[in-house]
Amino acid sequence: MKPLILQTDFGYADGAVSAMYGVAACVSDELRVFDLTHDIPQYDIWEASYRLIQTVSYWPEGSVFVSVVDPGVGSTRRSIVVRTANNQYIVTPDNGTLTHVRRMIGITDARVIDETANRLPGSGESYTFHGRDIYAYTGARLAAGVISFEQVGPAVPADSINELPVVEAIAESDHITGTIDVLDVRFGSLWTNIPRALFLKLGVAHGQRAEISIANETRTLYKNIVVYAKSFADVYVGEPLLYVNSLDNMALAINQGSFAKAYNIGTGITWKLSIRKAPKVIYE
């Protein structure tokens, strides 16, 4: 038995998540089923992709993830299972959900789910709840050892997996520019795609200051000088800080406050954040 981890945009207002648990229990009542999250914003494939990369590599080899954020349910988009370079499995629609896992961990193998063999019995006329009928069922059978990865369905090239558009962080003369990929939702911190290693090329050490600029396609919403801190405890309550997040990327926050709400900041490739070493100010 391997862990089965579920992620959806279903929420808990109805019985959708419980139905997925029920399908897993019917496959095997010895399965251990866990939740990654069911609070992905509706239809937000980008955030689903990011929450996977935030989590997948911390689970044991053989763990099976089921991720269902599926605005194209019932369409011609593929239903697939992939094996990561760290030997975990992800069951998901092939709609871009695997973007970050493919880029940051790597995918070695992919298979299209054969629905004639891997679909909940009696569900053949339902086309709107593949999370229960295909993904939870296939994921549970894989995690329980009822089927092998090879029995999921026909193999397809790993490089045929769909990806969402991504903008790479870049270094230009005295500054680095990246995108605001996602929020640390509960606390309103901004998580960027700027790797710590790239940021360090600016020569900013802990306790020193960096100049931050945030803009979208229409205007600059924030420009200020902030401390590069090891942790939130290094600054006063209400003070902004630049820090390294749990993915080893740069992030921006307000100690005990929400940066996103304070400055009405969004996420995605149109939201740009630039960092440069703060200039020295000499008072005469």
Side-chain angles (χ1 to χ4, degrees):
M1 295 287 170
K2 299 297 183 181
L4 179 67
I5 305 101
L6 306 180
Q7 169 177 277
T8 72
D9 60 352
F10 296 164
Y12 291 101
D14 61 16
V17 172
S18 182
M20 295 174 70
Y21 265 83
V23 167
C26 288
V27 170
S28 172
D29 57 11
E30 295 181 8
L31 266 178
R32 295 174 297 154
V33 185
F34 304 88
D35 293 320
L36 194 164
T37 180
H38 297 289
D39 289 327
I40 299 292
Q42 293 164 303
Y43 319 120
D44 194 336
I45 298 167
W46 177 269
E47 181 144 340
S49 174
Y50 210 93
R51 298 309 172 197
L52 282 174
I53 194 61
Q54 189 180 358
T55 310
V56 167
S57 62
Y58 297 98
W59 285 80
E61 289 189 22
S63 296
V64 178
F65 290 79
V66 172
S67 180
V68 188
V69 178
D70 193 14
V73 62
S75 69
T76 57
R77 60 94 184 95
R78 300 185 299 185
S79 296
I80 60 173
V81 181
V82 301
R83 179 161 49 200
T84 73
N86 293 337
N87 202 33
Q88 295 106 356
Y89 299 94
I90 304 173
V91 185
T92 187
D94 182 22
N95 59 8
T97 296
L98 295 165
T99 299
H100 290 90
V101 168
R102 183 180 174 194
R103 295 172 63 87
M104 300 171 71
I105 296 178
I107 291 171
T108 60
D109 303 280
R111 291 181 176 270
V112 175
I113 297 174
D114 178 0
E115 294 184 24
T116 62
N118 295 303
R119 186 182 176 110
L120 183 68
S123 67
E125 295 303 315
S126 174
Y127 300 101
T128 59
F129 199 176
H130 288 177
R132 175 196 65 194
D133 300 338
I134 299 173
Y135 303 128
Y137 183 67
T138 301
R141 281 158 58 84
L142 185 60
V146 175
I147 59 171
S148 66
F149 179 58
E150 290 70 26
Q151 291 174 301
V152 164
V156 294
D159 61 7
S160 72
I161 294 168
N162 286 311
E163 289 191 38
L164 300 171
V166 173
V167 176
E168 299 286 358
I170 56 173
E172 297 178 301
S173 61
D174 65 341
H175 69 280
I176 294 169
T177 300
T179 57
I180 301 172
D181 272 1
V182 75
L183 301 181
D184 184 355
V185 177
R186 188 168 179 82
F187 301 103
S189 304
L190 314 182
W191 284 22
T192 79
N193 69 335
I194 300 173
R196 176 178 57 88
L198 187 61
F199 166 75
L200 291 178
K201 293 182 178 181
L202 293 177
V204 181
H206 284 126
Q208 294 184 328
R209 296 181 180 272
E211 185 179 280
I212 306 295
S213 178
I214 301 173
N216 59 19
E217 291 180 311
T218 59
R219 62 194 178 100
T220 297
L221 289 94
Y222 181 84
K223 190 170 185 178
N224 202 0
I225 293 175
V226 305
V227 174
Y228 171 41
K230 285 185 178 180
S231 71
F232 290 76
D234 291 345
V235 300
Y236 293 111
V237 172
E239 186 178 355
L241 69 149
L242 183 69
Y243 69 102
V244 178
N245 69 14
S246 58
L247 293 178
D248 208 30
N249 286 345
M250 305 311 297
L252 190 65
I254 293 174
N255 187 12
Q256 297 187 32
S258 170
F259 201 106
K261 288 182 179 178
Y263 297 100
N264 198 27
I265 305 298
T267 63
I269 60 176
T270 61
W271 285 86
K272 303 296 178 64
L273 184 146
S274 295
I275 308 173
R276 75 182 182 104
K277 190 171 185 177
K280 291 183 177 179
V281 178
I282 300 175
Y283 296 95
E284 296 183 355

